[in-house]
Amino acid sequence: MKRRSFLASLMLVALATTTAPVAADEPFIVVASTTSTEQSGIKVRVVAVGTGQALDIGRRGDADVVFVHARSAEEKFLAEGQGVKRYPVMYNDFVLIGPKSDPAKVAGGHDIVAAFQKIEASKLPFVSRGDRSGTHIAELELWKTAGIDIDKAKGPWYRDTGQGMGPALNTAASMNAYILADRGTWLSFKNRGDLEIVVEGDKRLFNQYGVMLVNPEKHPNVKQDLGQKFIDWLVSPRGQSVIASYKIDGQQLFFPNAGSDA
């Protein structure tokens, strides 16, 4: 699969598989998705935003399907009656990116909490997405696990960008700062400057993606049949195979795990 847009590619294959072509009235659905699976829209009506924004789009009924990665936020969405059912689809992991000089002395370690504690204690430059995305939610949970109230600890060393993963990485590269990123975006990121992966492999960096149909009982405009067909395709053997085959520079970005309890 070419390195254009991951979710757009999934959409095109899914719609070709599950619907018959209808000339000018070819069916479509709107998918609100995290930017770590999609960085552009093309013609398949993908709305690429952070997880929090994607779920808000679903709450407004402006999407048929939400495809995101923050289980606590997804479960809240379901508890509100905004989604029908959550389906695990795939996973990858988060990684801590930092300068090659590694002033925090965390490189090569596998303890992300200890790394966060060292960065905060030394007040070393750290860039946060600050956008309620799945990555931002994961970062905040890690600060909490590290025993750090980041709202109180914030200072000139901590940069809230309020932007997507790519722009946040650009900021980190320009500042030679530490940043939490999903591995998929890091693999495709070209403006690395003096940055590299410094911490990986901690089980707390697990990054699960889930998909949900927006509740048509709350939002009658939701294209229930097409949306469910897309979800069914994602978790089918064919959809899972396509996910597994997506690679950048020979490295697999996502690992399918439909049917798991993740």
Side-chain angles (χ1 to χ4, degrees), residues 44-76:
V44 292
R45 311 290 174 94
V46 176
V47 181
V49 290
T51 286
Q53 291 173 284
L55 292 173
D56 285 345
I57 290 170
R59 288 184 176 95
R60 297 195 299 268
D62 292 333
D64 304 296
V65 171
V66 291
F67 192 4
V68 291
H69 66 133
R71 183 160 182 173
S72 59
E74 294 165 48
E75 290 176 344
K76 182 174 185 292

Side-chain angles (χ1 to χ4, degrees), residues 20-27:
V22 189
D25 296 322
E26 185 175 358

